[in-house]
């Protein structure tokens, strides 16, 4: 029966299997089904274009070391490669695999379409330039087809320029890392930076003129900035400590803003944030509310609500909702039915569970009941 399946069905079987493959049971297992499957798959390069490499033991490393050369040869000369390397053992083992994937003198890097390189550890691993086989050599090759780049928990010593030529890069995510320099993000549409230290900070701000979705989290010494982000649609500031540096930036097309802060300080810069007038969707999340001045917090919220003249959705936590309800006599008119502002209580986040404690359910239900009792138009709960 399996020999009678069409070419397209057989290819889909291989591709679906590949999504769940593991080192002991790789996609090559299906080559043993019959000669027809073996012939079709061996001569169809896209099947061999994805490399989801999890280095969770030395045994897994040995399996991939033996498997990669043949897979790469089957991928053909032009098929774009999608590479994921997740490291949970000695990171130096990943160097050999990177060199194989890059090919001689980086020839195969010209085929790389996406790259995810993550070290699963609380302490970033430092790749030293002095190491003759350091992966920085791989990262210095041109990657003209690379559209997606993700680096996590990696520390690289200064002295080598990485990712010098990425003309097709559209999506960038760098977290918990020390890097030599930022990649060329001049054409990137989606950028996420979280706790990034760059040795090249002194060379000026990053150029990201085409960014549409920008997420900044934690500490980023050299904040990407410009006088205008004309294409920016979504801005997420998550526990970010440099919100004030964005207040003088023009964002004429910004429609969605999300703020997560440990205190009032993270919200204060928004008081003079000119881009806020065009926002349609506003997310407000506060951490450690018991240490805040509730009156001052309401003053900031009230200012934001008045400034967001085009607001259509307001996403709030239980803490923000409680402040609105306490001051409903003063701010209720902002939510009259004709304004069409939808208030959404987003409660079941990990952070809020920790803050509210065991009494979370009762506390939230009381706020919800009060909201409905006050007949807030367009009020809903997202859990």
């Amino acid at each position: 029966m399996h020999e009678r399946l069409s070419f397209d069905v057989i290819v889909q079987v291989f591709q679906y299997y590949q999504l769940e493959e593991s080192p002991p049971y790789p996609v090559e297992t299906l080559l043993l089904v019959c000669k027809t499957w073996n012939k079709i798959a061996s001569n169809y390069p896209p099947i061999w274009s994805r490399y989801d490499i999890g280095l969770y033991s030395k045994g897994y490393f040995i399996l991939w070391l033996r498997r990669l050369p043949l897979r790469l040869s089957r991928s053909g000369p032009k098929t774009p490669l999608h590479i994921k390397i997740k490291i949970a053992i000695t990171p130096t083992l990943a160097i050999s695999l990177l060199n194989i994937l890059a090919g001689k003198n980086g020839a195969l890097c010209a085929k790389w379409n996406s790259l995810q390189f993550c070290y699963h550890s609380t302490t970033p691993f430092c790749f030293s330039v002095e190491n003759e086989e350091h992966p920085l050599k791989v990262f210095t090759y041109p990657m003209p087809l690379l559209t997606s780049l993700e680096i996590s928990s990696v520390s690289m010593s200064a002295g080598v320029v990485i990712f010098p030529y990425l003309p097709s890069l559209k999506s960038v995510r760098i977290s918990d890392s020390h890097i030599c320099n930022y990649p060329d993000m001049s054409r990137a549409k989606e950028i996420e930076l979280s706790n990034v230290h760059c040795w090249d900070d002194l060379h000026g701000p990053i150029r990201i003129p085409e960014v549409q979705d920008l997420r900044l989290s934690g500490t980023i010494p050299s904040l990407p900035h410009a006088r205008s982000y004309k294409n920016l649609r979504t801005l997420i500031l998550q526990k970010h400590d440099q919100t004030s540096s964005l207040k003088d930036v023009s964002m004429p097309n910004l429609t969605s803003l999300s703020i997560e802060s440990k205190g009032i300080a993270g919200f204060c810069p928004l008081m003079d944030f000119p881009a806020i007038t065009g926002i349609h969707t506003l997310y407000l999340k506060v951490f450690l509310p018991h240490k805040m001045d509730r009156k001052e917090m309401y003053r900031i919220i009230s200012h934001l609500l008045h400034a967001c003249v085009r607001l259509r959705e307001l996403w709030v936590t239980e803490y923000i909702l409680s402040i609105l309800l306490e001051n409903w006599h003063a701010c209720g008119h902002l939510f009259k039915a004709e304004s069409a502002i939808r208030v959404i209580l987003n409660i079941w986040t990990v952070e809020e569970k920790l803050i509210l404690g065991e009494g979370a359910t009762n506390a939230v239900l009381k706020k919800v009941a009060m909201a409905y009792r006050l007949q807030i138009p367009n009020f809903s709960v997202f859990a």
Side-chain angles (χ1 to χ4, degrees):
M1 175 67 76
H2 52 262
E3 294 181 352
R4 298 178 182 178
L5 296 176
S6 67
F7 174 86
D8 291 339
V9 171
I10 293 175
V11 167
Q12 286 188 1
V13 170
F14 274 84
Q15 291 176 334
Y16 280 126
Y17 186 94
Q18 194 175 45
L19 296 176
E20 301 294 335
E21 74 168 335
S22 62
Y25 304 101
V27 70
E28 284 87 349
T29 305
L30 297 181
L31 297 176
L32 304 176
V33 172
C34 66
K35 291 181 179 180
T36 301
W37 283 35
N38 190 311
K39 182 177 179 180
I40 289 176
S42 298
N43 293 280
Y44 188 68
I47 290 178
W48 313 102
S49 64
R50 296 188 176 275
Y51 302 84
D52 194 346
I53 301 174
L55 297 181
Y56 304 115
S57 70
K58 191 172 181 180
Y60 281 13
F61 163 75
I62 294 173
L63 289 174
W64 276 110
L65 193 62
R66 295 172 178 172
R67 191 171 295 149
L68 279 181
L70 183 55
R71 276 204 180 188
L72 287 170
S73 67
R74 285 172 172 165
S75 70
K78 296 182 179 180
T79 305
L81 304 182
H82 304 271
I83 301 169
K84 292 183 181 180
I85 300 181
K86 299 178 181 179
I87 310 166
I89 56 175
T90 305
T92 50
L93 294 178
I95 298 172
S96 299
L97 301 185
L98 275 172
N99 287 332
I100 295 174
L101 289 165
K104 186 177 181 180
N105 297 323
L108 295 181
C109 288
K111 296 173 52 181
W112 289 12
N113 185 253
S114 64
L115 172 63
Q116 183 183 96
F117 189 80
C118 303
Y119 176 43
H120 293 281
S121 173
T122 55
T123 304
F125 180 79
C126 181
F127 293 102
S128 173
V129 175
E130 286 73 25
N131 187 339
E132 293 181 357
E133 292 188 322
H134 64 84
L136 291 180
K137 185 176 181 180
V138 174
F139 293 162
T140 59
Y141 295 129
M143 302 176 189
L145 297 182
L146 196 72
T147 60
S148 177
L149 173 65
E150 179 178 346
I151 299 175
S152 177
S153 295
V154 173
S155 180
M156 304 177 183
S157 57
V160 177
V161 176
I162 59 173
F163 304 113
Y165 184 65
L166 305 175
S168 303
L169 192 62
K170 301 299 181 185
S171 176
V172 183
R173 183 178 182 182
I174 306 176
S175 61
D176 303 315
S177 296
H178 287 66
I179 56 178
C180 309
N181 60 279
Y182 286 107
D184 179 7
M185 299 188 286
S186 59
R187 295 177 179 83
K189 307 294 184 183
E190 301 176 5
I191 298 176
E192 180 176 343
L193 302 176
S194 174
N195 296 318
V196 179
H197 178 79
C198 180
W199 298 107
D200 202 25
D201 282 338
L202 298 178
H203 292 187
I206 313 163
R207 292 184 62 254
I208 50 174
E210 297 187 17
V211 63
Q212 295 179 1
D213 300 296
L214 178 61
R215 178 191 290 264
L216 303 175
S217 177
T219 301
I220 305 171
S222 180
L223 183 68
H225 68 276
R227 293 182 179 179
S228 175
Y229 288 148
K230 63 179 181 179
N231 297 313
L232 189 63
R233 303 290 191 276
T234 302
L235 176 61
I236 300 174
L237 303 176
Q238 187 177 28
K239 303 179 189 177
H240 185 53
D241 54 10
Q242 295 193 27
T243 307
S244 59
S245 60
L246 289 171
K247 68 179 183 180
D248 297 324
V249 177
S250 173
M251 304 176 186
N253 294 305
L254 186 68
T255 57
S256 177
L257 175 64
S258 177
I259 302 291
E260 297 184 16
S261 176
K262 293 182 179 180
I264 291 177
F267 290 87
C268 287
L270 298 178
M271 303 283 278
D272 302 314
F273 192 44
I276 205 169
T277 57
I279 290 174
H280 294 176
T281 305
L282 180 62
Y283 298 79
L284 298 178
K285 297 182 69 175
V286 180
F287 299 86
L288 306 177
H290 57 281
K291 295 184 179 181
M292 296 183 188
D293 184 331
R294 295 178 71 86
K295 291 184 178 180
E296 178 63 16
M297 193 68 224
Y298 171 71
R299 186 181 73 84
I300 295 174
I301 295 173
S302 177
H303 176 87
L304 293 177
L305 293 177
H306 281 88
C308 297
V309 295
R310 299 180 182 177
L311 189 65
R312 291 294 174 265
E313 287 189 353
L314 175 64
W315 290 70
V316 297
T317 58
E318 185 271 343
Y319 172 69
I320 298 293
L321 179 63
S322 68
I323 292 180
L324 288 175
L325 295 177
E326 288 173 6
N327 297 275
W328 193 250
H329 62 283
C331 69
H333 66 283
L334 297 173
F335 301 95
K336 53 188 177 181
E338 55 267 27
S339 70
I341 297 179
R342 183 184 178 200
V343 181
I344 304 168
L345 174 61
N346 187 15
I347 53 176
W348 297 124
T349 61
V350 174
E351 295 85 357
E352 189 154 356
K353 283 182 179 179
L354 294 174
I355 291 171
L356 296 176
E358 295 180 357
T361 302
N362 290 334
V364 170
L365 288 177
K366 289 180 180 178
K367 301 297 187 304
V368 172
M370 184 180 295
Y372 283 113
R373 188 164 61 251
L374 291 172
Q375 296 182 345
I376 299 179
N378 303 313
F379 175 76
S380 58
V381 178
F382 180 83

